[in-house]
Amino acid sequence: MMAANHNNEPRDASYTKEQLEIYTDKKGGWLNKDSKSIFAGKFQKDLFIFAMAIGKNRDKKSSLKPPKQANVRVDAMTEKQKWALLSISISESKNLLCLKDESPLYAEAEEYAHEGLSILISRVEKYGINYPKSLETELKEILSEESSL
């Protein structure tokens, strides 16, 4: 399968400095292979896309205040991850012409990812190590709602 031609794709996607510790694979970070996180051993791009999806599902986004950490390598994202990100802007603008310039679309995804990660953090604080079960329950509810449409 041939890769899509991406127009003005940024080099990196960003998150805020306050979320830096979570996006790390160092001790205490959610990506650390020894963490209790469902993201243990995963990559920043995986956490970013997951957080973005949660933010979008909840329709929550917020502007990122500088300084931002531009560390999520876009060229490391799979085509499926890139299209998941781009599909948000397509659905909101209802216009494929938004793909002419992808850089602002990544900025919008960053806003959803920021809020999505905040939601995940609150889940961890509320449910502790059992937070994946609460996410699973919510996902089942979403899928049930979608199938009844």
Side-chain angles (χ1 to χ4, degrees):
M1 183 164 107
M2 193 165 103
N5 182 27
H6 294 281
N7 299 304
N8 195 26
E9 178 180 82
R11 188 181 136 205
D12 300 292
S14 301
Y15 47 84
T16 62
K17 195 169 189 161
E18 297 84 47
Q19 295 179 337
L20 173 64
E21 188 176 310
I22 292 169
Y23 273 98
T24 186
D25 62 357
K26 294 179 175 61
K27 187 167 177 67
W30 286 11
L31 304 177
N32 182 286
K33 63 179 174 50
D34 296 325
S35 81
K36 303 284 188 228
S37 166
I38 60 173
F39 300 99
K42 302 289 185 205
F43 300 100
Q44 288 183 336
K45 64 181 185 153
D46 303 317
L47 177 55
F48 180 86
I49 295 294
F50 192 85
M52 177 199 69
I54 288 176
K56 173 60 177 158
N57 177 263
R58 296 275 187 88
D59 199 25
K60 302 267 186 207
K61 65 180 180 177
S62 64
S63 298
L64 277 76
K65 307 277 189 270
K68 298 192 303 185
Q69 305 294 310
N71 292 335
V72 182
R73 295 291 311 237
V74 171
D75 63 1
M77 290 182 184
T78 66
E79 279 297 309
K80 287 181 180 181
Q81 289 174 322
K82 288 178 183 181
W83 282 108
L85 187 151
L86 297 172
S87 69
I88 288 174
S89 291
I90 295 169
S91 73
E92 289 191 2
S93 71
K94 299 189 182 359
N95 188 341
L96 288 174
L97 292 177
C98 70
L99 297 174
K100 284 178 31 180
D101 184 6
E102 293 180 9
S103 190
L105 310 185
Y106 279 80
E108 184 173 34
E110 291 169 356
E111 294 174 356
Y112 280 117
H114 178 75
E115 283 299 316
L117 192 57
S118 295
I119 292 166
L120 282 171
I121 291 167
S122 70
R123 285 291 176 99
V124 170
E125 290 170 354
K126 182 175 181 178
Y127 296 103
I129 197 153
N130 295 319
Y131 78 97
K133 279 287 186 204
S134 74
L135 290 172
E136 180 182 0
T137 301
E138 185 175 341
L139 180 59
K140 285 179 181 177
E141 289 170 10
I142 292 167
L143 293 173
S144 175
E145 290 169 10
E146 290 295 318
S147 66
S148 68
L149 293 178

